[in-house]
Amino acid sequence: MKQLDPSLLSFNTVCVHGSGGVDPQTGAVSTPIYQSSTFAFECAEDGAAIFAGEREGYFYTRLGNPTQAALEREMAFLERGEAALATGSGMAATSTAVFSAIDAGDNILAARTLYGGTHKLFHELMPRFGLETRTVDPNDPASIERHVDGKTRLLFIETPANPTLSIVDIRRCVRECRRHGIALFVDNTFATPYYQRPLELGADVVIHSATKYIGGHGDTVAGLIVGKKEFVQRARMEIMRDLGGIISPFNAWLLLRGLKTLPVRMERHSENAMQIAQFLNFHPKVARVWYPAMRTHPQHEIAASQMAGFGGMLAFELKGGRDAGVRLLNSLGLMTLAVSLGDCDTLIEHPASMTHSTYSAEELAQVGISGGLVRLSVGLEGIDDLIADLDQALGKVPA
Ligand code: LCS
């Protein structure tokens, strides 16, 4: 059976064909789902050698599975990393990756604007185990300098960030992290490797909530870690093995299927988002729109320098504040009032009371999540239908 060499193929071709082409054993064009918890050894000596790490092989799905491995090879290639580890959720990816890099008494630096669950992990759970998170402005070298010390292991950023679409300058962070001898972890969920590849810019580890654009259809919760082989191996064998946040073979297959259409979906998400951003920008009831493609976005230049496109996420602020937001969300007919993002369906939510309710009132104010801020994950529907729905709902919002 012919095998493909992904290093000779374009991003789009690898998305469709995977990192190895058809299944070498059976010729199956769709990667088989190896729905098996365990794998038989050839003989007792073989089992002992695999357990001792002297021979490669599958033996128990918590430590690896062929369907998962096909996904990991493909994602490592798409993010231009040496290796990848698939996990049961984006939170499992973040916690597994961070715990692979720190020990008791260490601290990490983290951007102020992150997904609410990540913020809660860093500021509530980790401190219970003596692991401190120091909040920094990752775009300001002086802020990093003020907080870093001999026990700092990494800087964790999200760009574009959830939910404000603020942008972090990855190249600048790489320079600062190298200067201080710490690793840079980038949550690349919003951009996907189709539009942004942090490892190519010098970052050390990429994290995904694969629940979002990688899966793309709103039917799977999963995560991914991509980085150097040694780091990924430690994450798998030392942290994942014990914490157990694994992906199921079926969910790994759903992500492989999602990846086939990632480039075409991302392009349509971006086109639709740009048109909605322009519509909202001129709407009298909208105070401000946050979409990195727009020149009015304060960090548009940084975004344009590190992203090949801008994706389907945007946020906007209503002049009428929280009451206007509630009215808008309750008046929509087509758009779905739901958290998550990156689905084919357009999803709309209210960060202050939903995804970022883990932030205190003071923290919400510091990162610019006001009561009137609405987050939109623009889907793949017909653009005229989406704009008509927003238009009629905005019509019901008091001026
Ligand atoms: N990173 C980012 C940027 C996210 O947006 C999320 C989830 C996660 C990590 C965690 O991934 P999960 O475990 O859910 O797969 N974001 C969500 C959101 O904005 N609404 O619902 C979940």
Side-chain angles (χ1 to χ4, degrees), residues 89-91 115 158 162 187 209 211-212 222 339-341 355 375:
S89 68
M91 287 309 301
Y115 164 58
E158 227 176 78
N162 189 352
D187 185 325
S209 169
T211 313
K212 314 292 163 26
V339 295
S340 202
L341 58 103
T355 48
R375 191 192 74 182

